[in-house]
Amino acid sequence: MSCLPKSVRIVEVGPRDGLQNEPVHVSTKDKVELVSLLGKAGLKNIEAAAFVSPKWVPKMADSAEVMAQIERLPGVIYPVLTPNKKGLDGAIAAQAQEIAVFGAASEAFSKANTNSTLDEVLNRAIPLVEQARAHGMKARGYISCCLGCPYEGATDPAKVLDVAIQLREMGCFEIVVSDTIGTGTPRQSAALIELLLPHIPVDEIAVHFHDTYGQALANVYACMELGVSVVDSSIAGLGGCPYAKGASGNLATEDLLYMLDGLGIESGVSMDRILDASAFISGVLGRPPASKAGQALLAKRKG
Ligand code: HMG
Ligand code: MG
């Protein structure tokens, strides 16, 4: 029998995953305003920046400025991505409370995304997580390509498990099972979570679905039925990975919230305020939100 969680923690990744791949230039001021609106909506986890090489991801080059300028609301965590020591130094200087290291279940993606083999990435992450924790920061561990890879095709679930165990053993408090190219379907997603569950406690598993094939919400539901209660999403469905061609945005926060509200699952997030953030960033980008719920509810607002 399925058993849905009573509450879900939404991890908003729009300002990072959303804007890292955005062709339109978004100013630091607008990024800061977006983070502010997301905080006002009640989100407690807002991934705000990435201390990665600006040669690789130019859109995140102003991460230090973003972190310096955001108003940090009490009780809200603003995680940042850190691929290496330089990234960690940036996170420490920015007084981030949480970092994210990122590995993959695919060797070819690892090379494309970080110019490193998977072993190199994981070995580099060990001291990062250790030092982050010594600085009082928590570390999330992403695993990309859990349900398919843009270069290698199908992913071996055993590889996901292997990387998840390594990330957990190095001290990541949460393992983020990520469908980078959004090819996964609900039964496949659930089967992967079932494989992880004997090794990773359910409250240490988060899911991160890109919505390229329109499966993200169904996949989240399937994972929630297994007790998963931490879900990444992105305002207005922004997102994509520069190293996963064709990967579209993440599951939209508006769509996730609409479903959670409808199921009576507590998230602490206000739909009305989320729509403010959705309308704001859509105005900046000059296009409607990719979210169906966002589009419908914003149209209703206009009357
Ligand atoms: P590299 O070129 O092998 O590294 O890149 P390098 O050490 O030779 O450095 C090259 C240049 O970058 C140097 O500058 C470094 O100083 C600089 P130069 O001396 O030539 O002037 N550099 C940095 N600058 C600022 N911050 C840093 C940093 N590191 C080096 N941290 C590296 C290797 C890992 C750095 C690079 O490949 C990289 O930054 N990759 C990140 C790519 C990325 O951000 N991808 C998107 C995020 S992951 C994602 O979206 C997936 C996720 O959403 C889950 C999912 O959906 O699957 C999380
Ligand atoms: Mg992503």
Side-chain angles (χ1 to χ4, degrees):
M1 209 187 80
S2 76
C3 179
L4 293 170
K6 288 192 169 45
S7 65
V8 157
R9 177 158 57 84
I10 300 178
V11 179
E12 169 63 47
V13 296
R16 191 282 304 172
D17 203 344
L19 297 182
Q20 73 182 8
N21 201 33
E22 179 51 54
V24 175
H25 174 72
V26 179
S27 68
T28 306
K29 185 168 167 280
D30 285 342
K31 290 181 181 180
V32 170
E33 176 62 10
L34 175 63
V35 171
S36 165
L37 289 170
L38 293 166
K40 284 181 188 153
L43 287 156
K44 296 286 180 246
N45 299 76
I46 306 170
E47 199 174 68
F51 288 96
V52 298
S53 169
K55 292 190 173 146
W56 285 65
V57 186
K59 301 288 176 181
M60 292 286 107
D62 60 347
S63 285
E65 288 84 352
V66 170
M67 288 299 285
Q69 290 175 33
I70 54 175
E71 181 199 349
R72 301 191 194 196
L73 299 176
V76 180
I77 292 171
Y78 302 90
V80 299
L81 250 58
T82 57
N84 55 14
K85 174 78 171 80
K86 192 160 183 173
L88 179 68
D89 290 345
I92 293 169
Q95 297 183 318
Q97 310 111 303
E98 191 175 300
I99 63 158
V101 294
F102 43 106
S106 144
E107 201 58 68
F109 182 81
S110 182
K111 197 75 191 162
N113 196 35
T114 50
N115 199 25
S116 318
T117 66
L118 188 47
D119 276 349
E120 284 166 351
V121 167
L122 293 170
N123 286 330
R124 205 162 53 210
I126 294 170
L128 293 188
V129 173
E130 196 179 291
Q131 285 164 36
R133 293 176 70 185
H135 278 85
M137 295 187 272
K138 297 205 293 178
R140 286 186 112 202
Y142 279 103
I143 311 175
S144 288
C145 299
C146 288
L147 296 167
C149 168
Y151 308 102
E152 294 179 3
T155 295
D156 177 4
K159 189 73 204 162
V160 180
L161 176 60
D162 173 41
V163 176
I165 289 172
Q166 291 191 57
L167 288 169
R168 183 163 191 257
E169 279 176 354
M170 72 177 76
C172 291
F173 78 100
E174 196 162 272
I175 308 302
V176 193
V177 175
S178 305
D179 185 8
T180 315
I181 53 171
T183 51
T185 48
R187 232 174 242 166
Q188 189 192 4
S189 305
L192 182 61
I193 300 299
E194 274 170 338
L195 180 77
L196 297 180
L197 281 178
H199 308 272
I200 316 278
V202 71
D203 58 357
E204 295 181 24
I205 298 177
V207 288
H208 175 111
F209 290 106
H210 285 258
D211 202 25
T212 320
Y213 292 82
Q215 302 298 300
L217 204 52
N219 291 343
V220 165
Y221 191 92
C223 295
M224 288 197 316
E225 284 190 308
L226 295 167
V228 171
S229 65
V230 185
V231 182
D232 287 13
S233 65
S234 172
I235 191 71
L238 303 176
C241 177
Y243 298 100
K245 210 165 182 286
S248 73
N250 289 82
L251 168 60
T253 305
E254 302 92 306
D255 292 345
L256 173 63
L257 186 59
Y258 185 85
M259 181 178 79
L260 295 178
D261 286 349
L263 290 167
I265 295 176
E266 185 55 42
S267 69
V269 180
S270 151
M271 178 61 95
D272 211 35
R273 298 280 74 83
I274 274 295
L275 291 176
D276 293 342
S278 178
F280 170 75
I281 195 62
S282 301
V284 169
L285 300 176
R287 59 169 193 264
S291 161
K292 294 241 174 167
Q295 283 179 26
L297 293 169
L298 284 170
K300 240 187 186 178
R301 250 191 188 184
K302 281 189 190 147

